[in-house]
Structures are given as C-alpha cells and as structure tokens.
Amino acid sequence: MSSTDKPAILQVSNADLKSLEEQAGLNSIQWPEPKPLNNVLLPVKPITEDMLPRSLSGWLVDITERMDNGHLEYAAVCAVTIASALIGRKVGIHPKQHDSWLVIPNLWGCMVGRPSSKKSPIFSEVEKPVRKLEAKARQQFEEDKKTHAADQKITAVLTKDAEAKAADLAKKAAKTNDPVERSRKMDEARALLLDDSGDPEPPVCKRYIVNDTTVEKLGELLRKKSGKAQRVDQASYITSTRHYWKHEHR
C-alpha cells in the first residue's frame, strides 16, 4: 500500500452483527432479571461492661457516660488497641505446645460512625495517658540531647589526646631499628586511632504516637522502638493508596 492509498473501512450492518452473534451462540445465554442488592446490615449486639478487662471497664464506662452516653464500643476499641501497641513485642503466643514458633499479635482498631457521634472526643479522652507518656519521653529526649552534646565534646578531647599519643608512638617506631618493636608500637598507635568505644550514641526520642505518616516513615520509626500509630482520617489514607506507586500499601 502506497502512502497515497486510503485504508479500507469495514462496514458491518446490524443484521450482520446479529448473524455473527447467533453463530457464536451468544443469544443462547438467558440472563435472569437483575435483583436488587440487600444492603440491610445484620443486627450486632452492643458491647457490655463485663466483656471488657476489669482493669479498663470502669474507666471506659465513666468516659462514655460523661460523653452523654457515647458508644462504649468506641472507647473499648481505642483502649484495647492502644494497650496492645504499648505492650508491643513483650508478649507473644506459641500456637504449638512443643514448638518454638512464636507469633506476635498486632491489633488494628478503626472507629466507623456517623459525623458527630463523639468519635473524636472519646478517642482523645482514652488517649490521654499515652499523651502523658509522649510528653515525658520528649522531656527526657531534650535532657538526653544535652548530655549527648557534652559527651561529644569529651570525646573530641579524648580523640585529640589519642591522636597525640599515636603520633608519638609512630615517631618512636620510625626511629627504632628493631622490627618487632617497630611493629608493636605501630599496632599500639593503630589501636588508639581505631578505638571508637568512647563515641556516644545519639539519643532517640521514644515515640508513642504518629499522625498521618507514610508507610516508609512508619517503618523507620518502628525500627527505633516507637509506639503506636494513629491515623484519624481513614478515608484520606485509603484514598492515598490509590496511587499506582503505592500498590504494596493496598
């Protein structure tokens, strides 16, 4: 076909299409009439005080009663999930009696309710003890930073002293004619320069709460022994996972 030739256009009539469908047997499929979807939720029994741990039940009931009889389910979900996050990997489960297989249970909590159903106030009230731990940890972190800065100055002084001693040993090694003595002094000089036992480790702020974090940043924080993850707006998180580069998050 030359560049001036126009492509042929295939024209098929409705009768031809119907004939092709009959030959393929598509008309032999008898589809039933669509039925309406049943969107009625099954009844769920409300949570009661005796279902909760004794150490939490009185506190949670008091919170919900002070919230104009808010839902006890909201308080229970928050408290149990937060407690699980604080316990972390300190408690595990051995599914098999005679086996070393250890499972660390992770609890995920999510509150679903209509607007103005007191989700946020109940959550904030249950979260208060963790907020106190967070504030205490940050205060300790500020003190640790000051100590670390002082330790760095001390390490700098010790490093200079070690360098001076190593230089002196190197000079003595260069002057001696005994190869064994020269090797010994050089080894001592290297040991002084390679000794990093006095280098202070930078302090890490213990995190109990993170808000609207990415999966990558959350993994980094968890490696530093942080506590629980909080995301208030679940809809925004679910929407953010729709991006094609976040398929692993889904």
Side-chain angles (χ1 to χ4, degrees):
M1 180 184 292
S2 64
S3 59
T4 57
D5 296 335
K6 294 183 179 180
I9 300 176
L10 180 63
Q11 296 182 351
V12 181
S13 63
N14 291 334
D16 294 334
L17 288 176
K18 187 175 181 180
S19 176
L20 291 173
E21 291 176 353
E22 290 177 352
Q23 293 178 12
L26 297 179
N27 290 339
S28 61
I29 302 176
Q30 300 296 328
W31 297 101
E33 290 294 328
K35 295 181 179 180
L37 295 176
N38 184 9
N39 57 359
V40 179
L41 298 177
L42 297 175
V44 178
K45 293 183 179 180
I47 192 172
T48 57
E49 182 178 354
D50 59 322
M51 297 179 182
L52 300 173
R54 293 182 179 179
S55 57
L56 300 177
S57 58
W59 171 50
L60 299 179
V61 169
D62 176 68
I63 290 176
T64 53
E65 287 180 350
R66 288 188 288 109
M67 295 290 174
D68 295 331
N69 293 321
H71 295 288
L72 183 59
E73 286 81 359
Y74 292 161
V77 167
C78 294
V80 174
T81 306
I82 290 174
S84 172
L86 292 176
I87 294 172
R89 301 181 62 86
K90 299 182 182 71
V91 176
I93 299 174
H94 286 285
K96 296 183 178 181
Q97 183 178 4
H98 303 290
D99 195 277
S100 60
W101 178 26
L102 177 65
V103 177
I104 305 298
N106 294 315
L107 294 184
W108 299 77
C110 178
M111 293 189 296
V112 179
R114 296 185 180 277
S116 301
S117 58
K118 303 183 180 65
K119 298 186 297 297
S120 296
I122 292 177
F123 180 81
S124 299
E125 189 68 20
V126 176
E127 197 184 31
K128 278 185 177 180
V130 187
R131 291 287 182 185
K132 292 180 180 179
L133 292 175
E134 181 89 358
K136 186 177 180 180
R138 289 189 178 278
Q139 183 179 3
Q140 183 62 46
F141 177 63
E142 294 300 325
E143 296 296 329
D144 292 342
K145 285 198 300 183
K146 296 178 183 178
T147 303
H148 180 256
D151 290 342
Q152 282 184 313
K153 293 179 181 180
I154 295 173
T155 301
V157 173
L158 295 176
T159 300
K160 289 182 179 180
D161 183 58
E163 289 175 351
K165 291 180 180 180
D168 184 58
L169 287 170
K171 291 178 182 178
K172 292 180 179 180
K175 293 179 180 179
T176 182
N177 295 325
D178 186 357
V180 177
E181 183 67 15
R182 184 186 304 113
S183 177
R184 185 181 66 81
K185 290 184 180 297
M186 291 301 294
D187 289 341
E188 291 179 3
R190 293 190 190 95
L192 286 171
L193 297 177
L194 293 174
D195 184 16
D196 58 353
S197 58
D199 295 344
E201 290 290 336
V204 176
C205 182
K206 188 172 184 179
R207 299 286 297 274
Y208 291 90
I209 301 172
V210 292
N211 291 291
D212 294 322
T213 180
T214 62
V215 174
E216 294 80 7
K217 186 62 177 180
L218 180 59
E220 179 182 343
L221 292 174
L222 290 176
R223 285 195 298 271
K224 297 179 180 180
K225 297 182 180 180
S226 297
K228 77 184 186 69
Q230 172 204 357
R231 178 175 291 276
V232 176
D233 189 359
Q234 295 288 341
S236 64
Y237 175 72
I238 294 174
T239 302
S240 68
T241 61
R242 294 178 180 176
H243 298 294
Y244 71 90
W245 64 86
K246 294 186 175 181
H247 59 87
E248 70 278 6
H249 301 176
R250 299 192 292 269

